Amino acid sequence: MHLSRFRVNTARSGARRLLSSPQRLHAAVMSSFPSTLPSDTNAPRVLWRLDRNARAEVFLYVVSPARPDMTHLVEQAGWPAAATDPETPGWQTRSYAPLLDRLAAGGQWGFRLTANPVHHARRKDGEPTKRTAHLTNHHQQRWLLERQERAGFRILEKEAANRLLPAGTMHGGHSHHGDRYQMTVRDRRDVDFTKELSTKAPVRLVTVTYDGLLEVTDPDAMRRTLTHGLGKAKAYGCGLMTLAPAQGRA
């Protein structure tokens, strides 16, 4: 497995075109792998995520079984002249194995995850359930908390003295966990786009980014989470969790 990072040159029109459509960006990411054909539906999972740290600081992260060739991304949305130096081709790729091998039960890490937190609900009795986005911070946090055990980790809790709200606070008729966990939910985006060459209805997604601290409980499950993703809409930039040492930034 490999982890790659590509800095997007947001001043370029090609970059703005890619950033405006998750479908275009997904196609560009998949074009980084010459051995993968568009018709190959059994190709290994490739995960990607955009980190928009500032208006002119946007990074594309990719986790993939094969090493990518992002030359076309550099030409469309990078700094082609600077990339002529073979030492700095415009992106960085490292083996993911050293980090995956370091994972052990009890290890604590900072994490970042962009996800599409959804649930299935019906508006009326007798109607089929429909996939629906969680819209409140409380339900978005709960979505991740409900998946943490199976995904191989637990999100660390704050010391009681550091909590601004007590656990058990009522929210919409349900018990709320207050600010019990070392986790924030930010950067909500309502994504709405039409697939090119498609007559189907537009794709509508709600995405959010989670930052926080976790402890590994099941290293094998954690490795699967990091390499296979978490949740829905993986083709559209959701599901990729990355780790950093707990004292650093996720």
Side-chain angles (χ1 to χ4, degrees):
M1 297 297 293
H2 298 81
L3 173 65
S4 303
R5 185 179 77 164
F6 172 84
R7 184 180 173 192
V8 181
N9 184 350
T10 57
R12 301 192 64 186
S13 59
R16 294 193 294 271
R17 184 173 183 274
L18 288 176
L19 294 176
S20 69
S21 169
Q23 186 195 21
R24 291 193 199 110
L25 190 49
H26 172 70
V29 168
M30 295 307 297
S31 295
S32 301
F33 304 98
S35 61
T36 301
L37 298 175
S39 58
D40 187 0
T41 57
N42 295 316
R45 169 67 65 185
V46 173
L47 302 172
W48 61 273
R49 185 185 78 216
L50 281 176
D51 281 8
R52 303 172 188 261
N53 301 327
R55 187 172 183 178
E57 187 179 312
V58 178
F59 288 96
L60 170 67
Y61 288 89
V62 178
V63 166
S64 58
R67 178 179 289 272
D69 180 350
M70 296 184 172
T71 304
H72 63 296
L73 278 170
V74 175
E75 293 169 350
Q76 293 179 64
W79 284 266
T84 56
D85 183 346
E87 297 296 321
T88 56
W91 71 93
Q92 299 84 42
T93 297
R94 295 180 180 177
S95 171
Y96 216 14
L99 183 141
L100 297 175
D101 291 343
R102 283 177 60 192
L103 296 177
Q108 296 184 355
W109 300 83
F111 75 89
R112 175 168 292 173
L113 165 72
T114 293
N116 169 226
V118 296
H119 65 119
H120 288 84
R122 57 169 51 93
R123 293 181 299 175
K124 298 178 183 178
D125 291 341
E127 286 188 350
T129 58
K130 183 179 180 181
R131 188 182 296 172
T132 307
H134 285 304
L135 300 179
T136 67
N137 184 282
H138 166 64
H139 287 103
Q140 290 162 352
Q141 288 198 32
R142 191 172 70 178
W143 177 88
L144 184 56
L145 293 169
E146 289 173 346
R147 286 156 178 78
Q148 60 180 346
E149 181 178 358
R150 185 176 179 183
F153 63 89
R154 70 175 185 90
I155 296 173
L156 297 178
E157 298 184 16
K158 296 179 181 178
E159 295 183 4
N162 295 330
R163 300 177 190 174
L164 299 177
L165 295 171
T169 302
M170 296 304 292
H171 177 91
H174 301 281
S175 179
H176 194 282
H177 50 64
D179 61 344
R180 175 179 171 184
Y181 296 96
Q182 298 196 53
M183 169 176 57
T184 60
V185 183
R186 61 174 181 82
D187 198 23
R188 170 181 159 176
R189 292 182 178 271
D190 298 294
V191 182
D192 189 337
F193 64 96
T194 301
K195 292 185 178 181
E196 295 181 2
L197 304 178
S198 173
T199 58
K200 295 183 179 180
V203 176
R204 293 186 172 88
L205 302 171
V206 173
T207 70
V208 296
T209 297
Y210 300 85
D211 286 322
L213 295 172
L214 62 76
E215 180 177 288
V216 178
T217 57
D218 183 336
D220 288 337
M222 186 80 242
R223 292 185 189 100
R224 180 172 179 82
T225 296
L226 295 177
T227 56
H228 289 74
L230 189 61
K232 304 292 185 181
K234 296 183 181 72
Y236 302 129
C238 296
L240 171 57
M241 175 181 280
T242 51
L243 304 180
Q247 67 271 22
R249 293 176 57 196

